[in-house]
Structure formats: C-alpha cells, structure tokens
Amino acid sequence: MNYLDPLSFFSRIFASIMIVILTIACQPTNSDKQEVRDGEKLAKKYCQNCHDAVEPGLLTKDVWVDFVLPAMSKHFGLELWSKNSYQQTPKSTITYVDWMKMVKYYESAAPDSLTYTQPTKLKQGWSVFALRKPVEDSSRIATTVMVAINSSDRLIYTCDGDSADLFKWDDNFKLVGNSRLPSPATHILFNQGLDHVDILTCIGGMKASDQTRGEVLAMDREKNIRLHPSPVMSGLIRPIHTIQTDYNKDGLTDYVVSAFGHTQGGLYLLKHLADHSFQKIPIREVPGATQSITEDYNADGWPDIMTLFAHGDEGIWLFLNDRKGGFSAKNILRFPPVYGSNSFQLVDMNRDGKLDIVYAAGDNSDYSKILKPYHGVYIFTNLGDFNFKQSYFFPINGCTKATASDFDLDGDMDIATIAFFADLKNKPAEKFIYLEHQNGTTGKFEPISIPVQQYGRWICMDVNDWDADGDLDIVLGNYSKGLINQENVKPTWNTHLPFIVLENKTILTKNR
C-alpha cells in the first residue's frame, strides 16, 4: 500500500501553481503588443529616411540586438552604454522611449535562425573550361584585388592589395611588367581614346574609411609611366570603379567614378576641361557607389548613367542626361541594406531585345556577418519603360560578382559567379559556380561546381577572350587571407597563387 507524503503533495501543488503563474507572466500583455506595433511604425518612419525598410526576419534576433541596432543607434545620436542600454543625448533625433519601442519590435519579431531554401544540387565538372595557372611564389601571400584581361595584347593585369604592385603577365604566365602604384588598383580601363593609355582606379586604402587618398591615374601601358595630367583626379574617397563617357558631347573624354567610403563618398563626374584638367562634379553624393554603366537609355542621343549603390541605401539608380550639363535621377531597383549589393550587368537574358539586369548580392563585411539565404544571383527582366521584375534567383552565400555571357556558344546567356563570403565551412564549392543556361529553355540554369575551390578564395573576376580563339575565358583573383566571418575556419585553399585562368575550350571542341 502506497502512502502519499504530505510534503511531496504540497510541493507538487506549489510547482503546478508556479508553472501557471510563469506561463501567464510570459505571455505578452496588451501593453507589450502595443509597444511592438508602435515600434514597427517607428521603424518604417525613421529607417526609411535613409534606406529601404528592413524586415525583422532578414536577420536573427541576436544579430539585431547585439550588432545592428547598437550600430544604428549612433545615427540617431544615442549613446550606447552597454548591451541594449541606451542613453538619449541633446543631439538625439529620436527619444529614448521611441527607440526602445523599435528595439522591442525587432527583438520580438526577429527569428532565432534564418530559413534556407535548399538550392538545386550542384553538378561537379569542368563544363567548357580547363584550368591554367601560374607557378606559385611561396614567398608571397596572395592578396589580389584586381584582375583584368586585355585581349588586344593578350596580357593579364593583376594588382596586389598589400604592396599596391600592378603586375602584367603574358600567355605563359611570365611576369612582363611591374609598377608600384600609390595605392591598390581595383579597376582598369584599357585604350581610353589614346593608344596604350590605361585608366587606373586606385582605392586609397582597403579598409572602409572616409580618407581622401584615392586617385584616378592615367598610365602609359608600354612605358609603365604615368601620363600628364596624372592623377586625373586625386583626393577621392575610396574610388573603386571608373567608366568613360563624353557626357556633354564636346569631343573630350569625361569619366564617371564610383566612390565607396564609410559614411561619405558617392558618384562623381570628372568633367574634361579645355586645358585637359578635370573638374569633379557630384552626381549623387551618398556612400556606397559601386559600379556604373553608361548608355543612351532613353534613345535621345545623349549618354546616360546607371549605377549600383550599396552600403545603406542599396539599389540601382538611373541618371538621365538633361543635355544642360546635369542629370535627373530615377530609382530603378531598391534593396534592403543587408543585401550587400556587389555587382550588376545589363544583358538580354531572354532574347526579347531588351536589356535585363543580372545582379549579385553578397557583401558580408558589415554589422551582420552571418550567412544570409537571400544572397546570390538575381535576374530582373526588363518590362519596358525602366520597369524591372525579378524572374530568377539562385542562392549563393556571399556572392561577390556575376557575369553573364554565352560561354558555350549555344545562343543563350550563361552566368559565371564568385563568392568571397561563401559558406567556407560547409559549402566551399560556392566560391565559383557556373550557371549553364539550358539550351531552348529560357530562364532555366544548371548549376555546375567547377573544381577550383582548393586554388584560392576569389574576390575579383574578369571575362574576356584571353587566348584569342573566339570564346570567352575567365580569370579569378585570389585574396587568400583574412575577412573570414565563420568561426574555426582556416584556409584550405592555396594562399600563394595570385590568380588562375579558366580557359574556355568551346571553339577547340567544336573544331575537332
């Protein structure tokens, strides 16, 4: 016969009562729910002044609370004393009460982890490519920040991010030229109006800052000397990309520079003056200008500009030439600031005669350094009248660049991609993925993992006909050190190869 211990009986009753009390206490009250609703309204009111609104579900709860919100509080003039402890100041543009409502909104609505859509399984193989690579120099750590193929002289140009050396390599990977630049070059333009003249965009410093040390240089390619006037323009805030245009049709070559600072920077026109000096004219002076393409987009006979902006107010803007010396701005696409916009390209993907947008999202070196399921390659189909609609997405963690071309010469556009912030721990094959367009099926791609992951960590890519055989080859630049967001990841890739070439064998195969 079992006897009930009175103490045990009352202990169980007490425990049950406490569970009920705690359950009720943990339920959000009407006051809590109202705070969250208020926080949502405040987030839309305040955050959209600077960039597209960020839904809580785009980041995890801990990233919001520990990193993003503390970083954003500074923009509102708040002081951060400790984790989630804020202080209003005389310079604050938001009250402490309203800010804490915003914090509660993101903390309540954000998930503990992000949901990933499993992409199509990667096919393994070389497709139309064959590996070519130089002999590695074990005395140097590869920090390549620029690669470029000049098909006119069949040379590959690379720039070292540490030494700021510009190297030139022949088709046997023999070093045939070396120039020390004032800072690393991230972009090069070949043959800009004069024979053998290159335009180099020198960033000033690799670390994000607002220092005015960047330059645009003119250099004689054969003599390896800078031309007058050189620099074309100095005192720029981290310029990373330059294109040429004659925006006012005066017969002189002007330049458009994208400057990606920390809190400053923007898109600038370098107007070519009659005395061959240049005048810097702001077009859109906000940080994050990344890349521009110039075309006559409205068919009025005057060159316009389309530019990708990142780092805050991310998106693609169109600047229509007003034929009076200026531009009118129109936003084409806008993205949340966590997308990490990296590159875009205008190309007719569906063969309807209109230029579509191929866009890569994946910069992951800011406040939210986690893998993001919305990073990858996007295609936005041109609907006409500067309207674009997303028609394709392939997830790639940390996608850095996407370049569409007809690599296999079957009449449709394939896409080559690199991912510097790939899932290095679990999916290192993401570092280079080739999306082969399925012949006869518009918008359907077969993802192929080209087996080059062991040779480097690719931060830059260029596409051109390197071997002069009529098809397009790819050169990949290896920035082998640092900038790893994941814990306990050590390089499993070659840290000494500055670059590799994926030589396209399509023409050779077809001629057999």
Side-chain angles (χ1 to χ4, degrees):
M1 186 174 181
N2 295 325
Y3 292 93
L4 183 62
D5 181 356
L7 183 59
S8 175
F9 173 76
F10 286 110
S11 296
R12 292 179 191 178
I13 293 295
F14 178 75
S16 300
I17 292 171
M18 288 304 299
I19 290 172
V20 172
I21 292 173
L22 289 172
T23 300
I24 294 172
C26 290
Q27 294 298 316
T29 65
N30 289 333
S31 176
D32 291 333
K33 292 178 181 179
Q34 185 60 48
E35 272 195 296
V36 171
R37 287 194 293 267
D38 290 344
E40 181 178 9
K41 293 176 182 177
L42 289 165
K44 291 179 180 179
K45 173 185 174 181
Y46 283 98
C47 299
Q48 287 188 157
N49 289 333
C50 298
H51 52 69
D52 200 17
V54 185
E55 295 297 326
L58 291 178
L59 297 173
T60 57
K61 194 185 304 291
D62 61 326
V63 169
W64 277 117
V65 173
D66 295 342
F67 300 103
V68 176
L69 290 171
M72 292 302 100
S73 68
K74 300 173 185 177
H75 294 279
F76 294 97
L78 296 167
E79 287 185 0
L80 179 68
W81 285 13
S82 61
K83 178 182 176 182
N84 214 2
S85 177
Y86 300 92
Q87 177 69 33
Q88 187 175 334
T89 73
K91 295 182 180 180
S92 298
T93 57
I94 188 174
T95 67
Y96 172 82
V97 172
D98 281 352
W99 174 255
M100 293 312 297
K101 287 179 180 178
M102 287 174 55
V103 170
K104 190 155 191 172
Y105 162 59
Y106 282 104
E107 189 175 13
S108 301
D112 292 325
S113 61
L114 300 183
T115 302
Y116 285 79
T117 301
Q118 186 66 30
T120 306
K121 186 176 181 181
L122 296 177
K123 177 182 176 181
Q124 305 292 317
W126 288 97
S127 185
V128 298
F129 301 104
L131 176 66
R132 297 284 305 278
K133 57 187 177 71
V135 176
E136 65 180 79
D137 182 356
S138 60
S139 68
R140 295 180 69 101
I141 298 297
T143 59
T144 304
V145 293
M146 185 203 75
V147 290
I149 300 171
N150 187 356
S151 58
S152 65
D153 58 16
R154 293 189 61 191
L155 295 181
I156 291 175
Y157 291 66
T158 67
C159 190
D160 186 277
D162 280 354
S163 68
D165 283 324
L166 178 70
F167 299 110
K168 295 190 287 188
W169 312 78
D170 67 13
D171 54 356
N172 292 312
F173 303 121
K174 180 182 177 182
L175 196 61
V176 295
N178 182 7
S179 304
R180 178 65 55 89
L181 301 175
S183 66
T186 55
H187 186 252
I188 186 170
L189 280 169
F190 297 114
N191 288 326
Q192 303 305 301
L194 299 172
D195 289 341
H196 314 303
V197 175
D198 299 330
I199 300 297
L200 292 161
T201 306
C202 297
I203 192 171
M206 296 304 297
K207 186 177 180 180
S209 74
D210 294 326
Q211 293 182 329
T212 54
R213 298 192 301 162
E215 297 177 315
V216 175
L217 302 177
M219 180 171 285
D220 185 300
R221 186 186 324 132
E222 291 190 339
K223 298 178 181 179
N224 283 340
I225 59 173
R226 299 175 200 169
L227 299 178
H228 180 75
S230 185
V232 173
M233 183 62 63
S234 60
L236 297 170
I237 299 174
R238 293 187 79 243
I240 59 175
H241 186 265
T242 303
I243 58 171
Q244 69 167 353
T245 185
D246 182 5
Y247 90 105
N248 55 2
K249 301 173 73 169
D250 64 354
L252 298 175
T253 300
D254 311 300
Y255 298 101
V256 178
V257 180
S258 298
F260 195 146
H262 181 55
T263 62
Q264 300 179 47
L267 183 69
Y268 299 95
L269 173 72
L270 305 186
K271 181 182 178 181
H272 200 155
L273 303 179
D275 63 357
H276 298 298
S277 64
F278 290 85
Q279 177 188 3
K280 185 179 75 171
I281 302 173
I283 299 176
R284 185 172 186 251
E285 204 163 21
V286 298
T290 299
Q291 174 201 348
S292 294
I293 302 171
T294 181
E295 298 281 351
D296 181 10
Y297 293 108
N298 58 358
D300 67 350
W302 291 73
D304 310 303
I305 305 165
M306 194 175 290
T307 302
L308 175 67
F309 285 82
H311 187 64
D313 195 5
E314 299 196 17
I316 296 174
W317 271 259
L318 173 64
F319 301 94
L320 292 173
N321 196 324
D322 65 9
R323 296 178 281 184
K324 299 176 183 178
F327 299 87
S328 59
K330 177 181 176 63
N331 178 239
I332 300 298
L333 294 170
R334 209 173 185 203
F335 311 111
V338 294
Y339 266 45
S341 299
N342 268 325
S343 78
F344 84 111
Q345 182 184 6
L346 295 171
V347 60
D348 186 1
M349 294 299 294
N350 56 3
R351 294 180 283 188
D352 66 351
K354 297 193 292 287
L355 293 176
D356 309 303
I357 293 175
V358 176
Y359 161 77
D363 187 8
N364 215 357
S365 59
D366 215 321
Y367 304 119
S368 56
K369 300 177 182 181
I370 59 171
L371 299 175
K372 301 179 174 81
Y374 39 86
H375 277 176
V377 181
Y378 294 77
I379 296 175
F380 295 92
T381 298
N382 192 336
L383 304 179
D385 195 27
F386 305 122
N387 293 308
F388 293 83
K389 181 181 180 182
Q390 182 181 326
S391 57
Y392 178 80
F393 170 66
F394 186 81
I396 301 174
N397 288 296
C399 190
T400 305
K401 188 173 184 179
T403 299
S405 289
D406 185 7
F407 290 101
D408 54 8
L409 300 180
D410 66 351
D412 50 30
M413 292 292 175
D414 315 295
I415 306 175
T417 73
I418 56 172
F420 185 70
F421 290 106
D423 183 351
L424 300 172
K425 184 180 294 185
N426 304 303
K427 301 177 182 177
E430 290 182 317
K431 287 189 290 182
F432 182 85
I433 294 177
Y434 173 56
L435 298 172
E436 187 174 88
H437 210 152
Q438 298 303 286
N439 191 21
T441 310
T442 300
K444 185 176 181 180
F445 297 85
E446 181 177 37
I448 302 174
S449 170
I450 309 295
V452 295
Q453 56 185 277
Q454 68 269 38
Y455 298 110
R457 187 179 174 208
W458 320 119
I459 199 171
C460 49
M461 170 175 66
D462 192 34
V463 172
N464 213 324
D465 186 3
W466 169 65
D467 52 11
D469 66 350
D471 51 28
L472 293 172
D473 311 294
I474 301 173
V475 58
L476 305 178
N478 178 18
Y479 193 92
S480 68
K481 69 172 188 178
L483 297 173
I484 297 175
N485 295 336
Q486 295 171 287
E487 295 181 357
N488 302 317
V489 173
K490 295 182 179 180
T492 57
W493 52 88
N494 193 307
T495 58
H496 302 292
L497 273 176
F499 67 94
I500 64 169
V501 173
L502 296 177
E503 186 176 12
N504 195 331
K505 295 295 185 179
T506 301
I507 290 291
L508 178 65
T509 303
K510 287 178 180 275
N511 290 337
R512 283 177 179 170

